[in-house]
Amino acid sequence: MAEKHFKYIILGGGVAAGYAAREFDKQGVKPGELAIISKEAVAPYERPALSKGYLFPEGTARLPGFHVCVGSGGERLAPEWYKEKGIELILSTEIVKADLSSKSLSSAAGELFKYDILIIATGSTVIRLTDFGVQGADAKNIFYLREIDDADKLVEAIKAKKNGKAVIVGGGYIGLELSAALKINNLDVTMVYPEPWCMPRLFTADIAKFYEGYYANKGIKIVKGTVAVGFSTNDNGEVKEVHLKDGRVLEADIVVVGVGGRPLTALFKGQLAEEKGGIKTDGFFKTSVPDVYAVGDTATFPLKLYGELRRVEHVDHARKSAEQAVKAIKANEEGKSVEEYDYLPYFYSRAFDLSWQFYGDNVGDAVTFGDSDPASAQHKFGSYWIKDGKVVGAFLESGTPEENKAIAKVARVQPPAESLDQLSKEGLAFASKI
Ligand code: FAD
């Protein structure tokens, strides 16, 4: 059996892996010391592009354009970058067994990789309707979106089913972004989700009302309060209809399912402490096993600002947790220490000409400000969340970079608020004076 040894191995070749590689280079890494092992065939890239620019008919995003670290305004790490730095990119290689006691990883093809220090960056996988035994869910042209291969299959289907009908199952941000992308491709789009409004884990009813109204104005149909319970197919085995629990039937040439994900931690079951569905880490992303770190979607880490353990499935945290882990590893080697991770939750989404950002925690009472009329040309509005008399979260649609910075500061500083009324009246002016 082929065996290779590296001082550092990053398992997974996604967002966190790319940002970790850049940080290793900044901190100093010798040629041959670091390897990234990924089951994907390409170097780390900015995953959020897959549900946005990658699917657009014009101005289409393609590799190498969106390799990391362009998403945060950094230098693009194309495959040549890794070569120049002597960082080994071991692609199209799935690890099927991890033995943390012997510090070894085995691939599906039978290679053995040994490490001194391991960074787990395996991210998440999508939840599939076949996981729940939904009848007909394995039909052709039912898609999921996690990796570039999935996106390529969807792009082919969009071309093959020109002007056809698409059903998007799921009302989260992936569902909203995909619906917009398919509409821009001239498909007739219907969204289906069980909740009373879209993005219910973040959006209030008021926020959702804007997006649902805006989507309706774009010609996207929204079916709420029900779920897909089965699919029927044509003679080629391609999806033809989506059967809903409430008895309705929707025609479909393409179905895209975005009903959530779960972290890929199965390789380490029983070998590491877990918490809240992820791998438990400290504020340096160290796991319960020495020399093993976990970052990005897989890590359940102490969110210092709120004094609790959390798992965060967003790109900003993937980048920052990776950098923090590498800084901690390098400092440790020199007998030094780094500050504990002090993360301010941040996520964003973009669709059509819309773009929102959210910072902080969406707990307590919420209040909306600004112009949230879906028909208005301006559509600049936002929300604050107030808990125990303090503003703890802020959301803004169509903010300028300065305005987004201002709401981020509010969420970090947590200023006191007199009343919901005051916040609603002051709107962005409240954030600007913090
Ligand atoms: P990933 O980027 O998922 O990387 C994991 C890597 O590990 C993959 O390369 C995978 O193939 C590899 N891997 C897994 N298991 C193995 C194995 N056994 N062997 C070898 N390799 C393995 N977040 C936002 O904040 N805003 C957005 O707009 C946004 N848009 C998104 C759009 C899409 C379509 C998706 C899927 C996600 C989006 N996200 C967004 C979430 C964000 O992309 C993730 O939180 C982020 O990619 C997590 O980084 P990661 O490195 O932990 O995992």
Side-chain angles (χ1 to χ4, degrees):
M1 190 194 277
E3 185 180 316
K4 277 188 173 173
H5 173 267
F6 296 93
K7 186 170 182 188
Y8 313 105
I9 288 184
I10 302 170
L11 175 55
V15 173
Y19 281 77
R22 182 177 68 170
E23 191 61 36
F24 266 117
D25 175 55
K26 268 192 205 162
Q27 303 277 334
V29 72
K30 295 196 193 87
E33 280 187 338
L34 171 63
I36 292 177
I37 305 179
S38 178
K39 67 179 160 64
E40 289 190 85
V42 294
Y45 56 88
E46 302 284 0
R47 195 163 308 284
L50 296 184
S51 51
K52 306 176 183 69
Y54 204 83
L55 303 177
F56 293 169
E58 280 163 34
T60 321
R62 282 291 175 270
L63 290 177
F66 61 100
H67 278 303
V68 297
C69 299
V70 289
S72 58
E75 184 201 345
R76 193 177 66 195
L77 310 188
E80 306 81 62
W81 181 87
Y82 298 87
K83 210 174 250 165
E84 261 168 43
K85 305 287 178 184
I87 298 172
E88 201 155 329
L89 271 182
I90 302 170
L91 302 176
S92 305
T93 300
E94 185 177 7
I95 294 302
V96 292
K97 187 169 173 258
D99 181 5
L100 302 183
S101 58
S102 65
K103 295 192 160 188
S104 58
L105 307 171
S106 315
S107 76
E111 300 128 301
L112 189 70
F113 300 98
K114 293 259 198 176
Y115 59 82
D116 298 335
I117 292 181
L118 174 67
I119 301 182
I120 299 168
T122 42
S124 302
T125 186
V126 291
I127 293 171
R128 293 176 180 269
L129 294 179
T130 42
D131 298 344
F132 312 112
V134 174
Q135 177 252 325
D138 54 355
K140 285 186 198 151
N141 292 337
I142 299 182
F143 299 99
Y144 297 83
L145 188 57
R146 183 76 209 176
E147 299 190 345
I148 205 155
D149 274 0
D150 305 321
D152 286 337
K153 286 179 201 148
L154 181 55
V155 167
E156 281 311 303
I158 291 171
K159 281 186 197 147
K161 301 290 178 186
K162 259 201 163 61
N163 306 319
K165 290 187 162 58
V167 172
I168 309 297
V169 177
Y173 75 90
I174 298 267
L176 286 164
E177 290 181 3
L178 282 167
S179 298
L182 294 188
K183 187 73 205 172
I184 293 167
N185 277 286
N186 260 329
L187 280 108
D188 177 17
V189 178
T190 305
M191 295 183 77
V192 182
Y193 44 88
E195 297 91 355
W197 63 77
C198 61
M199 282 283 297
R201 283 201 295 171
L202 173 64
F203 289 179
T204 61
D206 278 351
I207 297 178
K209 205 167 151 198
F210 166 81
Y211 292 97
E212 290 179 354
Y214 187 97
Y215 272 50
N217 291 345
K218 290 278 183 193
I220 292 174
K221 285 157 271 185
I222 298 182
V223 179
K224 298 191 267 188
T226 190
V227 291
V229 289
F231 300 91
S232 52
T233 55
N234 63 20
D235 293 343
N236 298 326
E238 295 175 334
V239 68
K240 193 179 76 180
E241 287 168 341
V242 184
H243 297 258
L244 304 181
K245 194 171 184 182
D246 68 6
R248 276 184 274 184
V249 176
L250 305 172
E251 285 178 56
D253 300 299
I254 293 177
V255 172
V256 195
V257 183
V259 294
R262 54 185 170 75
L264 279 171
T265 58
L267 282 173
F268 310 99
K269 268 264 160 319
Q271 302 189 69
L272 295 164
E274 292 190 49
E275 188 81 40
K276 295 187 173 168
I279 297 170
K280 189 179 175 188
T281 75
D282 63 10
F284 309 96
F285 296 98
K286 272 189 200 154
T287 69
S288 59
V289 171
D291 300 328
V292 179
Y293 293 71
V295 295
D297 284 7
T298 63
T300 301
F301 62 96
L303 214 155
K304 205 173 162 186
L305 194 56
Y306 307 130
E308 63 179 60
L309 289 174
R310 287 221 192 148
R311 209 170 58 73
V312 173
E313 287 183 357
H314 291 289
V315 70
D316 178 61
H317 162 69
R319 295 167 180 159
K320 290 181 174 152
S321 59
E323 289 167 356
Q324 169 76 355
V326 175
K327 280 182 188 146
I329 289 168
K330 293 306 261 183
N332 200 36
E333 287 173 356
E334 292 162 19
K336 294 186 192 147
S337 59
V338 291
E339 297 268 306
E340 211 181 329
Y341 195 55
D342 185 9
Y343 186 61
L344 174 68
Y346 158 56
F347 34 104
Y348 69 92
S349 176
R350 288 195 298 271
F352 294 118
D353 61 342
L354 304 173
S355 169
W356 58 256
Q357 300 206 353
F358 168 79
Y359 295 87
D361 218 7
N362 58 321
V363 291
D365 297 320
V367 65
T368 308
F369 61 82
D371 177 5
S372 62
D373 177 354
S376 107
Q378 203 201 3
H379 50 68
K380 181 174 285 192
F381 74 100
S383 264
Y384 293 115
W385 280 261
I386 300 114
K387 197 178 166 222
D388 302 331
K390 291 191 294 190
V391 186
V392 293
F395 171 95
L396 186 60
E397 169 57 52
S398 299
T400 62
E402 292 74 37
E403 289 163 345
N404 287 327
K405 229 184 237 168
I407 63 157
K409 195 164 176 205
V410 167
R412 170 61 81 178
V413 173
Q414 304 189 339
E418 269 165 44
S419 67
L420 293 174
D421 249 16
Q422 175 216 358
L423 285 176
S424 170
K425 272 194 210 112
E426 286 190 27
L428 268 174
F430 177 85
S432 306
K433 64 186 189 204
I434 301 302

